[in-house]
Amino acid sequence: QVRLVESGGGSVQAGGSLTLSCSGNLPIFSTTQLAWFRTVPGEERQGVAAIKIGNNVTYYHDLVMGRFTISYERAERWLSRLTLQMNNLKPEDTGMYYCAAWTLGQPDRALISDKYQFWGQGTQVTVSS
């Protein structure tokens, strides 16, 4: 059974940085798509960033473009770590952040959550003004 675990969340002032990590026992293939989503109470889950294993193409929500960077490390056919580097954080970035994986990822749905099969438990990010 695949298990993903996030870490790295915390509290930071606006303009600061955080690095989120996600690890687990996830096999990865060229078709695998990895992503970070976030939720805020009362709002729908929002796709933040995604990356396709096969070609390393990345996708970002407009709200984080230029501030967030998604990357990953692998150990042969296994995910070692999925990372989300978050710079110049803003109060509106506050939320619970989740990593997710989709075995047969489709680029046109990279930031849409309904097809992602595997999810972590989330890590809280709080940005104060």
Side-chain angles (χ1 to χ4, degrees):
Q1 183 175 355
V2 172
R3 182 167 177 259
L4 298 174
V5 179
E6 300 95 340
S7 61
S11 297
V12 64
Q13 288 190 327
S17 299
L18 282 174
T19 303
L20 304 184
S21 295
C22 172
S23 60
N25 59 337
L26 177 72
I28 54 175
F29 311 93
S30 61
T31 56
T32 300
Q33 203 155 271
L34 304 172
W36 288 93
F37 290 84
R38 66 187 181 192
T39 59
V40 177
E43 297 184 12
E44 292 187 359
R45 184 156 44 191
Q46 182 180 70
V48 174
I51 185 167
K52 185 71 176 286
I53 296 295
N55 55 16
N56 289 332
V57 173
T58 55
Y59 309 87
Y60 295 96
H61 194 288
D62 288 347
L63 293 174
V64 307
M65 186 78 71
R67 300 188 296 120
F68 290 12
T69 302
I70 187 172
S71 62
Y72 72 94
E73 298 169 39
R74 67 187 300 171
E76 297 185 344
R77 294 185 178 185
W78 298 87
L79 176 68
S80 288
R81 182 167 54 190
L82 175 68
T83 300
L84 184 67
Q85 177 64 45
M86 306 186 295
N87 298 325
N88 190 21
L89 282 160
K90 304 176 180 181
E92 50 265 42
D93 294 318
T94 294
M96 185 70 79
Y97 283 70
Y98 300 87
C99 63
W102 181 5
T103 303
L104 297 176
Q106 298 174 13
D108 61 343
R109 302 185 67 82
L111 298 181
I112 299 173
S113 64
D114 61 347
K115 297 294 186 181
Y116 281 81
Q117 301 154 285
F118 307 110
W119 293 83
Q121 83 291 347
T123 186
Q124 177 68 35
V125 171
T126 303
V127 184
S128 58
S129 57

